[in-house]
Amino acid sequence: MPLTGVRAFAALWVVFYHLRPTIERIFPDAHGLHAFLAFGYLGVDLFAFLSGFVIAYNYFDRVDLRQPREIGVFLWIRATRIFPLHWFLLLVLLIARFTIPGFGDRGIDVGRWDASDFLQHALMLHGWGVAQHLAWNVPSWTVSAEWLCYLLFPLMAALLLRIGDGVVALTLASAILGATKIALDATGHADFSASVSWGALRIGGEFVAGCLLWRAFAIGRFERAPWGAIAVAAFGTAGFLTRWPGTAFPIVCCFGVGIFALAHARGPLAWLFALPPIVFLGEISYSIYLLHWVVLRIFEYSIGTSVMRLGGRGFALALMIVVIIGGSVLTYFGVERPARRRLRAWFLTTPAR
């Protein structure tokens, strides 16, 4: 399905958003590129839509509020997906904090390494509105918010089973997204920039909207529409809107339309996102997303200055990208996938199960 490939785009957009200062120095006159990368933080919103759509696709009829064991299996499967790599990278940052001289003691890193923050991260609570600031592996707040969505998904699945009309599902998705926008405006995040304070509201609204989009897709009343052209138009419009500030909400709306269109697997954009290399990047996108911040922080405090002197900013940028992608392949095959496989096999073969 091309939606896996979309995950690659979402993850890399966030990566290049965090690489933006270096890119702007290398290409000072590429104003269109700068504007596009300035909206890279919306990659997490694209992830949230995708997550809701895919989770509903895979599990909506496999969790039943009357069957606690089914819910337990679902939550264990999701926990094995997100916790092992998160804990591994949290440990890497902890080691770096105590072994790399000056690590975390300047610039944006000051005040992000408290023991209480570490505990919140370890328990995956830091995206629930309890954290006071971004800390440790900064992008992981979205994973924490998504974990909360997983915990509440059985309630969502019960609602999805009651929806039998695609128009109703799309209407509800639009209403949820609109309500999320209003709530974020009220909290001072009209640009969809909420993170640890109101980030769960942002991610949760988009996750629910993604679930409802899947329900409309599954009911299948819209097969005859030109979805290939609609997908191109939706994502093209989203890219075009990055030229102007204050367009975060319309861009997010385009994501919803684009995902619904791509799910029908038609047109040139669906073909592009279904190419094997892009699908592979989509499969390791969780590693890319969580690892890149760790690489950037360690690079900053270890070899960053030496690399700049050796080959300049362009060489440093290329090296960071190679390390992020290469490291993501290693963590995917060395940590993420084997841990998931072993933990799931252990749980699903216990006598209780």
Side-chain angles (χ1 to χ4, degrees), residues 280-281 283-285 287-288 291 322-338:
F280 175 72
L281 288 174
E283 290 174 349
I284 67 170
S285 59
S287 282
I288 293 173
L291 177 68
V322 168
V323 172
I324 289 169
I325 300 300
S328 298
V329 173
L330 293 176
T331 55
Y332 176 74
F333 286 106
V335 178
E336 186 181 342
R337 198 165 76 163

Side-chain angles (χ1 to χ4, degrees), residues 35-329:
F36 178 75
L37 295 182
F39 279 96
Y41 70 95
L42 294 181
V44 303
D45 301 276
L46 184 53
F47 264 124
F49 274 115
L50 284 166
S51 182
F53 193 101
V54 173
I55 292 297
Y57 171 79
N58 284 300
Y59 297 107
F60 97 103
D61 59 349
R62 294 167 60 184
V63 292
D64 189 331
L65 293 174
R66 297 166 299 181
Q67 299 292 332
R69 182 172 292 178
E70 290 184 2
I71 296 175
V73 170
F74 163 72
L75 292 177
W76 181 256
I77 288 173
R78 300 319 302 164
T80 61
R81 176 73 174 89
I82 62 176
F83 275 94
L85 182 63
H86 170 66
W87 282 337
F88 173 78
L89 294 176
L90 199 57
L91 178 61
V92 170
L93 284 172
L94 182 64
I95 293 172
R97 176 66 174 161
F98 287 104
T99 59
I100 300 177
F103 185 88
D105 289 337
R106 63 174 184 262
I108 63 174
D109 297 315
V110 174
R112 289 182 167 177
W113 312 98
D114 292 344
S116 60
D117 292 325
F118 184 89
L119 181 61
Q120 288 178 1
H121 277 245
L123 296 176
M124 200 71 87
L125 301 176
H126 55 294
W128 296 15
V130 298
Q132 301 299 313
H133 52 258
L134 293 166
W136 291 89
N137 193 1
V138 166
S140 67
W141 72 264
T142 63
V143 183
S144 172
E146 192 164 314
W147 173 238
L148 180 60
C149 292
Y150 296 159
L151 293 173
L152 298 176
F153 177 73
L155 297 174
M156 188 67 210
L159 172 63
L160 292 176
L161 285 169
R162 295 177 177 270
I163 298 174
D165 189 311
V167 174
V168 171
L170 290 180
T171 302
L172 286 174
S174 301
I176 290 293
L177 194 56
T180 303
K181 162 65 173 171
I182 293 171
L184 289 175
D185 285 353
T187 61
H189 298 96
D191 57 355
F192 274 67
S193 61
S195 55
V196 291
S197 56
W198 294 96
L201 173 65
R202 169 187 172 189
I203 300 300
E206 293 159 346
F207 180 92
V208 171
C211 292
L212 290 164
L213 288 177
W214 172 80
R215 188 56 176 156
F217 169 78
I219 293 170
R221 282 187 54 184
F222 313 98
E223 288 297 319
R224 296 182 179 180
W227 293 117
I230 292 173
V232 172
F235 282 103
T237 301
F240 184 71
L241 288 173
T242 61
R243 297 166 59 91
W244 296 280
T247 55
F249 180 61
I251 291 172
V252 169
C253 291
C254 287
F255 291 161
V257 175
I259 289 169
F260 188 75
L262 277 178
H264 292 82
R266 301 177 193 166
L269 206 56
W271 171 83
L272 176 65
F273 282 123
L275 290 174
I278 298 179
V279 171
F280 175 72
L281 288 174
E283 290 174 349
I284 67 170
S285 59
Y286 183 58
S287 282
I288 293 173
Y289 179 73
L290 275 192
L291 177 68
H292 83 275
W293 185 261
V294 178
V295 170
L296 296 183
R297 299 338 300 143
I298 293 177
F299 186 89
E300 171 76 16
Y301 291 95
S302 56
I303 64 172
T305 302
S306 300
V307 170
M308 288 282 193
R309 291 174 179 171
L310 177 66
R313 289 193 179 92
F315 177 70
L317 176 64
L319 180 61
M320 284 188 287
I321 294 171
V322 168
V323 172
I324 289 169
I325 300 300
S328 298
V329 173

